[in-house]
mmCIF file of all heavy atoms in Angstrom:
data_model
loop_
_atom_site.group_PDB
_atom_site.id
_atom_site.type_symbol
_atom_site.label_atom_id
_atom_site.label_comp_id
_atom_site.label_asym_id
_atom_site.label_seq_id
_atom_site.Cartn_x
_atom_site.Cartn_y
_atom_site.Cartn_z
ATOM 1 N N ARG A 1167 17.929 26.043 17.530
ATOM 2 C CA ARG A 1167 18.377 24.673 17.714
ATOM 3 C C ARG A 1167 17.484 23.815 16.835
ATOM 4 O O ARG A 1167 16.264 23.940 16.866
ATOM 5 C CB ARG A 1167 18.216 24.283 19.177
ATOM 6 C CG ARG A 1167 19.013 23.061 19.546
ATOM 7 C CD ARG A 1167 18.760 22.678 20.979
ATOM 8 N NE ARG A 1167 19.384 23.567 21.926
ATOM 9 C CZ ARG A 1167 18.783 24.011 23.029
ATOM 10 N NH1 ARG A 1167 17.546 23.691 23.286
ATOM 11 N NH2 ARG A 1167 19.417 24.783 23.875
ATOM 12 N N GLU A 1190 9.137 6.586 22.717
ATOM 13 C CA GLU A 1190 9.030 7.641 23.714
ATOM 14 C C GLU A 1190 8.389 8.891 23.123
ATOM 15 O O GLU A 1190 8.441 9.134 21.922
ATOM 16 C CB GLU A 1190 10.444 7.983 24.173
ATOM 17 C CG GLU A 1190 10.608 8.088 25.643
ATOM 18 C CD GLU A 1190 12.061 7.833 26.033
ATOM 19 O OE1 GLU A 1190 12.757 7.093 25.313
ATOM 20 O OE2 GLU A 1190 12.486 8.354 27.047
ATOM 21 N N SER A 1191 7.859 9.708 23.994
ATOM 22 C CA SER A 1191 7.278 10.981 23.588
ATOM 23 C C SER A 1191 8.321 11.842 22.873
ATOM 24 O O SER A 1191 9.464 11.915 23.303
ATOM 25 C CB SER A 1191 6.801 11.706 24.843
ATOM 26 O OG SER A 1191 6.158 12.880 24.494
ATOM 27 N N SER A 1301 -18.120 13.392 26.336
ATOM 28 C CA SER A 1301 -16.912 13.059 27.078
ATOM 29 C C SER A 1301 -15.803 12.735 26.079
ATOM 30 O O SER A 1301 -16.058 12.504 24.897
ATOM 31 C CB SER A 1301 -17.178 11.866 27.989
ATOM 32 O OG SER A 1301 -17.411 10.727 27.203
ATOM 33 N N GLY A 1303 -13.922 10.181 25.463
ATOM 34 C CA GLY A 1303 -13.997 8.922 24.732
ATOM 35 C C GLY A 1303 -15.008 8.974 23.595
ATOM 36 O O GLY A 1303 -14.769 8.447 22.511
ATOM 37 N N SER A 1328 -6.344 5.882 23.064
ATOM 38 C CA SER A 1328 -5.855 6.233 24.392
ATOM 39 C C SER A 1328 -6.913 6.928 25.244
ATOM 40 O O SER A 1328 -6.905 6.838 26.457
ATOM 41 C CB SER A 1328 -4.623 7.120 24.286
ATOM 42 O OG SER A 1328 -4.993 8.411 23.873
ATOM 43 N N ASP A 1331 -12.174 4.322 27.045
ATOM 44 C CA ASP A 1331 -12.099 3.509 28.232
ATOM 45 C C ASP A 1331 -11.803 2.067 27.951
ATOM 46 O O ASP A 1331 -12.154 1.516 26.919
ATOM 47 C CB ASP A 1331 -13.410 3.595 28.985
ATOM 48 C CG ASP A 1331 -13.380 4.796 29.845
ATOM 49 O OD1 ASP A 1331 -12.764 4.726 30.907
ATOM 50 O OD2 ASP A 1331 -13.916 5.805 29.401
ATOM 51 N N SER A 1333 -13.099 -0.593 28.959
ATOM 52 C CA SER A 1333 -14.180 -1.527 28.657
ATOM 53 C C SER A 1333 -14.596 -1.435 27.188
ATOM 54 O O SER A 1333 -15.184 -2.347 26.648
ATOM 55 C CB SER A 1333 -15.381 -1.290 29.575
ATOM 56 O OG SER A 1333 -16.303 -0.412 28.993
ATOM 57 N N ARG A 1335 -12.284 -0.133 24.753
ATOM 58 C CA ARG A 1335 -11.093 -0.089 23.913
ATOM 59 C C ARG A 1335 -10.999 -1.322 23.044
ATOM 60 O O ARG A 1335 -10.710 -1.247 21.859
ATOM 61 C CB ARG A 1335 -9.856 0.017 24.807
ATOM 62 C CG ARG A 1335 -8.662 0.544 24.083
ATOM 63 C CD ARG A 1335 -7.509 0.754 25.023
ATOM 64 N NE ARG A 1335 -7.862 1.670 26.099
ATOM 65 C CZ ARG A 1335 -7.040 1.949 27.113
ATOM 66 N NH1 ARG A 1335 -5.859 1.382 27.174
ATOM 67 N NH2 ARG A 1335 -7.415 2.782 28.050
ATOM 68 N N HIS A 1358 0.888 4.393 22.772
ATOM 69 C CA HIS A 1358 1.761 4.198 23.925
ATOM 70 C C HIS A 1358 1.322 2.958 24.687
ATOM 71 O O HIS A 1358 2.032 2.464 25.540
ATOM 72 C CB HIS A 1358 1.706 5.403 24.854
ATOM 73 C CG HIS A 1358 2.318 6.621 24.264
ATOM 74 N ND1 HIS A 1358 3.581 6.613 23.717
ATOM 75 C CD2 HIS A 1358 1.861 7.874 24.101
ATOM 76 C CE1 HIS A 1358 3.871 7.806 23.271
ATOM 77 N NE2 HIS A 1358 2.835 8.599 23.473
ATOM 78 N N ARG A 1364 -1.352 -5.801 19.971
ATOM 79 C CA ARG A 1364 -1.655 -7.210 19.698
ATOM 80 C C ARG A 1364 -3.073 -7.402 19.185
ATOM 81 O O ARG A 1364 -3.390 -8.423 18.586
ATOM 82 C CB ARG A 1364 -1.521 -8.039 20.987
ATOM 83 C CG ARG A 1364 -0.150 -8.014 21.621
ATOM 84 C CD ARG A 1364 -0.169 -8.772 22.932
ATOM 85 N NE ARG A 1364 -0.171 -10.213 22.742
ATOM 86 C CZ ARG A 1364 -0.795 -11.077 23.527
ATOM 87 N NH1 ARG A 1364 -1.512 -10.650 24.558
ATOM 88 N NH2 ARG A 1364 -0.739 -12.360 23.295
ATOM 89 N N TYR A 1365 -3.918 -6.418 19.464
ATOM 90 C CA TYR A 1365 -5.341 -6.618 19.207
ATOM 91 C C TYR A 1365 -5.811 -6.137 17.834
ATOM 92 O O TYR A 1365 -6.954 -6.321 17.475
ATOM 93 C CB TYR A 1365 -6.169 -5.959 20.318
ATOM 94 C CG TYR A 1365 -6.038 -6.715 21.620
ATOM 95 C CD1 TYR A 1365 -4.900 -6.583 22.405
ATOM 96 C CD2 TYR A 1365 -7.019 -7.603 22.027
ATOM 97 C CE1 TYR A 1365 -4.753 -7.298 23.588
ATOM 98 C CE2 TYR A 1365 -6.887 -8.319 23.197
ATOM 99 C CZ TYR A 1365 -5.750 -8.169 23.972
ATOM 100 O OH TYR A 1365 -5.611 -8.880 25.128
ATOM 101 N N PRO A 1406 3.297 -0.164 33.455
ATOM 102 C CA PRO A 1406 2.889 -0.316 34.849
ATOM 103 C C PRO A 1406 2.430 -1.738 35.149
ATOM 104 O O PRO A 1406 1.769 -2.374 34.337
ATOM 105 C CB PRO A 1406 1.713 0.651 35.001
ATOM 106 C CG PRO A 1406 1.734 1.523 33.823
ATOM 107 C CD PRO A 1406 2.496 0.831 32.743
ATOM 108 N N ARG A 1409 -0.521 -4.205 40.162
ATOM 109 C CA ARG A 1409 -0.270 -4.817 41.471
ATOM 110 C C ARG A 1409 -1.521 -5.540 41.952
ATOM 111 O O ARG A 1409 -2.611 -5.029 41.849
ATOM 112 C CB ARG A 1409 0.124 -3.743 42.487
ATOM 113 C CG ARG A 1409 1.537 -3.255 42.317
ATOM 114 C CD ARG A 1409 1.856 -2.231 43.397
ATOM 115 N NE ARG A 1409 0.998 -1.072 43.285
ATOM 116 C CZ ARG A 1409 0.558 -0.367 44.318
ATOM 117 N NH1 ARG A 1409 0.871 -0.724 45.542
ATOM 118 N NH2 ARG A 1409 -0.194 0.687 44.133
ATOM 119 N N GLU A 1427 17.497 15.211 24.785
ATOM 120 C CA GLU A 1427 17.381 15.324 23.338
ATOM 121 C C GLU A 1427 18.428 16.260 22.729
ATOM 122 O O GLU A 1427 18.619 16.274 21.529
ATOM 123 C CB GLU A 1427 15.971 15.808 22.973
ATOM 124 C CG GLU A 1427 15.586 17.049 23.737
ATOM 125 C CD GLU A 1427 14.230 17.584 23.337
ATOM 126 O OE1 GLU A 1427 13.353 16.767 23.002
ATOM 127 O OE2 GLU A 1427 14.066 18.798 23.340
ATOM 128 N N ARG A 1428 19.103 17.046 23.578
ATOM 129 C CA ARG A 1428 20.103 17.976 23.042
ATOM 130 C C ARG A 1428 21.349 17.255 22.591
ATOM 131 O O ARG A 1428 22.134 17.766 21.823
ATOM 132 C CB ARG A 1428 20.494 18.987 24.120
ATOM 133 C CG ARG A 1428 19.412 19.991 24.408
ATOM 134 C CD ARG A 1428 19.758 20.795 25.626
ATOM 135 N NE ARG A 1428 19.901 19.926 26.800
ATOM 136 C CZ ARG A 1428 20.144 20.384 28.017
ATOM 137 N NH1 ARG A 1428 20.299 21.669 28.229
ATOM 138 N NH2 ARG A 1428 20.233 19.558 29.030
ATOM 139 N N GLU A 1478 1.580 -12.578 34.661
ATOM 140 C CA GLU A 1478 0.448 -12.913 35.522
ATOM 141 C C GLU A 1478 0.956 -13.495 36.846
ATOM 142 O O GLU A 1478 1.803 -14.383 36.849
ATOM 143 C CB GLU A 1478 -0.393 -13.980 34.802
ATOM 144 C CG GLU A 1478 -1.851 -13.826 34.984
ATOM 145 C CD GLU A 1478 -2.453 -12.864 33.943
ATOM 146 O OE1 GLU A 1478 -1.712 -12.205 33.179
ATOM 147 O OE2 GLU A 1478 -3.672 -12.797 33.915
ATOM 148 N N GLY B 1371 -12.745 4.928 35.783
ATOM 149 C CA GLY B 1371 -14.130 4.713 35.383
ATOM 150 C C GLY B 1371 -14.296 5.045 33.923
ATOM 151 O O GLY B 1371 -13.438 5.653 33.294
ATOM 152 N N GLU B 1372 -15.438 4.599 33.440
ATOM 153 C CA GLU B 1372 -15.763 4.729 32.036
ATOM 154 C C GLU B 1372 -15.852 6.182 31.577
ATOM 155 O O GLU B 1372 -16.158 7.067 32.362
ATOM 156 C CB GLU B 1372 -17.136 4.100 31.844
ATOM 157 C CG GLU B 1372 -17.394 3.564 30.495
ATOM 158 C CD GLU B 1372 -17.480 2.054 30.537
ATOM 159 O OE1 GLU B 1372 -17.547 1.483 31.633
ATOM 160 O OE2 GLU B 1372 -17.462 1.458 29.473
ATOM 161 N N SER B 1373 -15.638 6.358 30.298
ATOM 162 C CA SER B 1373 -15.843 7.651 29.676
ATOM 163 C C SER B 1373 -17.254 8.147 29.986
ATOM 164 O O SER B 1373 -18.213 7.419 29.793
ATOM 165 C CB SER B 1373 -15.697 7.437 28.177
ATOM 166 O OG SER B 1373 -15.500 8.626 27.537
ATOM 167 N N GLN B 1428 -8.319 17.967 32.125
ATOM 168 C CA GLN B 1428 -8.138 16.967 31.087
ATOM 169 C C GLN B 1428 -7.725 17.567 29.752
ATOM 170 O O GLN B 1428 -6.917 17.006 29.044
ATOM 171 C CB GLN B 1428 -9.441 16.190 30.914
ATOM 172 C CG GLN B 1428 -9.283 14.974 30.047
ATOM 173 C CD GLN B 1428 -10.513 14.100 30.117
ATOM 174 O OE1 GLN B 1428 -11.492 14.452 30.771
ATOM 175 N NE2 GLN B 1428 -10.473 12.981 29.464
ATOM 176 N N ASN B 1432 -4.480 21.443 25.492
ATOM 177 C CA ASN B 1432 -4.937 22.513 24.622
ATOM 178 C C ASN B 1432 -5.202 23.797 25.351
ATOM 179 O O ASN B 1432 -5.677 24.754 24.772
ATOM 180 C CB ASN B 1432 -6.259 22.113 23.974
ATOM 181 C CG ASN B 1432 -5.993 21.252 22.791
ATOM 182 O OD1 ASN B 1432 -4.843 21.105 22.426
ATOM 183 N ND2 ASN B 1432 -7.006 20.700 22.227
ATOM 184 N N ASP B 1473 14.077 19.688 28.330
ATOM 185 C CA ASP B 1473 15.009 20.790 28.336
ATOM 186 C C ASP B 1473 14.197 22.036 28.731
ATOM 187 O O ASP B 1473 13.502 22.627 27.914
ATOM 188 C CB ASP B 1473 15.596 20.902 26.924
ATOM 189 C CG ASP B 1473 16.451 22.145 26.747
ATOM 190 O OD1 ASP B 1473 16.513 22.979 27.669
ATOM 191 O OD2 ASP B 1473 17.060 22.257 25.679
ATOM 192 N N ARG B 1476 14.411 25.293 26.649
ATOM 193 C CA ARG B 1476 13.784 25.192 25.331
ATOM 194 C C ARG B 1476 12.265 25.240 25.465
ATOM 195 O O ARG B 1476 11.581 25.925 24.713
ATOM 196 C CB ARG B 1476 14.199 23.891 24.635
ATOM 197 C CG ARG B 1476 13.523 23.729 23.281
ATOM 198 C CD ARG B 1476 13.647 22.326 22.693
ATOM 199 N NE ARG B 1476 12.531 22.112 21.760
ATOM 200 C CZ ARG B 1476 12.114 20.933 21.357
ATOM 201 N NH1 ARG B 1476 12.705 19.854 21.772
ATOM 202 N NH2 ARG B 1476 11.102 20.840 20.530
ATOM 203 N N ALA B 1514 -1.225 11.148 27.189
ATOM 204 C CA ALA B 1514 -0.535 11.223 25.905
ATOM 205 C C ALA B 1514 0.927 10.807 26.018
ATOM 206 O O ALA B 1514 1.717 11.068 25.131
ATOM 207 C CB ALA B 1514 -0.631 12.646 25.348
ATOM 208 N N LEU B 1515 1.288 10.158 27.097
ATOM 209 C CA LEU B 1515 2.703 9.874 27.319
ATOM 210 C C LEU B 1515 3.076 8.433 27.018
ATOM 211 O O LEU B 1515 2.279 7.529 27.162
ATOM 212 C CB LEU B 1515 3.067 10.188 28.771
ATOM 213 C CG LEU B 1515 2.871 11.636 29.211
ATOM 214 C CD1 LEU B 1515 3.209 11.773 30.678
ATOM 215 C CD2 LEU B 1515 3.724 12.562 28.369
ATOM 216 N N ASP B 1516 4.335 8.262 26.632
ATOM 217 C CA ASP B 1516 4.854 6.913 26.458
ATOM 218 C C ASP B 1516 5.167 6.329 27.826
ATOM 219 O O ASP B 1516 5.168 7.016 28.837
ATOM 220 C CB ASP B 1516 6.123 6.967 25.625
ATOM 221 C CG ASP B 1516 7.197 7.726 26.355
ATOM 222 O OD1 ASP B 1516 7.202 8.959 26.264
ATOM 223 O OD2 ASP B 1516 7.997 7.087 27.061
ATOM 224 N N MET B 1517 5.464 5.024 27.820
ATOM 225 C CA MET B 1517 5.645 4.309 29.081
ATOM 226 C C MET B 1517 6.800 4.839 29.924
ATOM 227 O O MET B 1517 6.674 4.979 31.135
ATOM 228 C CB MET B 1517 5.883 2.823 28.795
ATOM 229 C CG MET B 1517 4.668 2.145 28.228
ATOM 230 S SD MET B 1517 3.262 2.344 29.322
ATOM 231 C CE MET B 1517 1.930 2.038 28.190
ATOM 232 N N HIS B 1543 -7.975 6.752 33.121
ATOM 233 C CA HIS B 1543 -8.745 5.625 32.638
ATOM 234 C C HIS B 1543 -7.846 4.400 32.611
ATOM 235 O O HIS B 1543 -8.267 3.326 32.224
ATOM 236 C CB HIS B 1543 -9.291 5.919 31.242
ATOM 237 C CG HIS B 1543 -8.199 6.110 30.254
ATOM 238 N ND1 HIS B 1543 -7.666 7.341 29.979
ATOM 239 C CD2 HIS B 1543 -7.487 5.223 29.527
ATOM 240 C CE1 HIS B 1543 -6.688 7.197 29.122
ATOM 241 N NE2 HIS B 1543 -6.545 5.927 28.831
ATOM 242 N N GLY B 1546 -3.418 0.575 35.023
ATOM 243 C CA GLY B 1546 -1.997 0.409 35.315
ATOM 244 C C GLY B 1546 -1.443 1.618 36.044
ATOM 245 O O GLY B 1546 -0.697 1.489 37.017
ATOM 246 N N ALA B 1549 -2.720 1.582 39.476
ATOM 247 C CA ALA B 1549 -2.058 0.535 40.248
ATOM 248 C C ALA B 1549 -0.673 0.983 40.693
ATOM 249 O O ALA B 1549 -0.234 0.697 41.799
ATOM 250 C CB ALA B 1549 -1.941 -0.736 39.407
ATOM 251 N N GLU B 1550 0.000 1.678 39.806
ATOM 252 C CA GLU B 1550 1.381 2.066 40.046
ATOM 253 C C GLU B 1550 1.497 3.130 41.138
ATOM 254 O O GLU B 1550 2.406 3.103 41.941
ATOM 255 C CB GLU B 1550 1.950 2.609 38.729
ATOM 256 C CG GLU B 1550 3.444 2.761 38.680
ATOM 257 C CD GLU B 1550 4.172 1.457 38.380
ATOM 258 O OE1 GLU B 1550 3.551 0.538 37.804
ATOM 259 O OE2 GLU B 1550 5.355 1.383 38.729
ATOM 260 N N ARG B 1590 -4.175 -7.450 27.179
ATOM 261 C CA ARG B 1590 -3.090 -8.166 27.831
ATOM 262 C C ARG B 1590 -1.827 -8.191 26.981
ATOM 263 O O ARG B 1590 -1.884 -8.340 25.769
ATOM 264 C CB ARG B 1590 -3.522 -9.608 28.131
ATOM 265 C CG ARG B 1590 -4.505 -9.684 29.275
ATOM 266 C CD ARG B 1590 -3.901 -8.949 30.417
ATOM 267 N NE ARG B 1590 -4.820 -8.603 31.464
ATOM 268 C CZ ARG B 1590 -4.968 -9.313 32.577
ATOM 269 N NH1 ARG B 1590 -4.315 -10.431 32.728
ATOM 270 N NH2 ARG B 1590 -5.770 -8.901 33.511
ATOM 271 N N GLY B 1593 -0.002 -13.994 26.800
ATOM 272 C CA GLY B 1593 -1.077 -14.970 26.917
ATOM 273 C C GLY B 1593 -2.106 -14.805 25.814
ATOM 274 O O GLY B 1593 -1.924 -14.048 24.865
ATOM 275 N N ILE B 1595 -4.984 -13.605 23.734
ATOM 276 C CA ILE B 1595 -5.567 -12.268 23.653
ATOM 277 C C ILE B 1595 -7.070 -12.295 23.948
ATOM 278 O O ILE B 1595 -7.655 -11.288 24.312
ATOM 279 C CB ILE B 1595 -5.305 -11.550 22.311
ATOM 280 C CG1 ILE B 1595 -5.961 -12.268 21.140
ATOM 281 C CG2 ILE B 1595 -3.835 -11.364 22.048
ATOM 282 C CD1 ILE B 1595 -5.913 -11.432 19.872
#
Side-chain angles (χ1 to χ4, degrees):
Chain A
R1167 197 183 287 137
E1190 226 156 331
S1191 184
S1301 67
S1328 73
D1331 275 281
S1333 93
R1335 200 175 302 175
H1358 292 309
R1364 300 176 76 214
Y1365 289 77
R1409 284 182 298 146
E1427 52 177 33
R1428 288 170 300 183
E1478 218 86 352
Chain B
E1372 207 112 11
S1373 197
Q1428 191 169 3
N1432 278 353
D1473 172 354
R1476 178 193 155 199
L1515 299 177
D1516 64 276
M1517 292 304 160
H1543 63 269
E1550 194 81 22
R1590 287 308 164 98
I1595 64 170

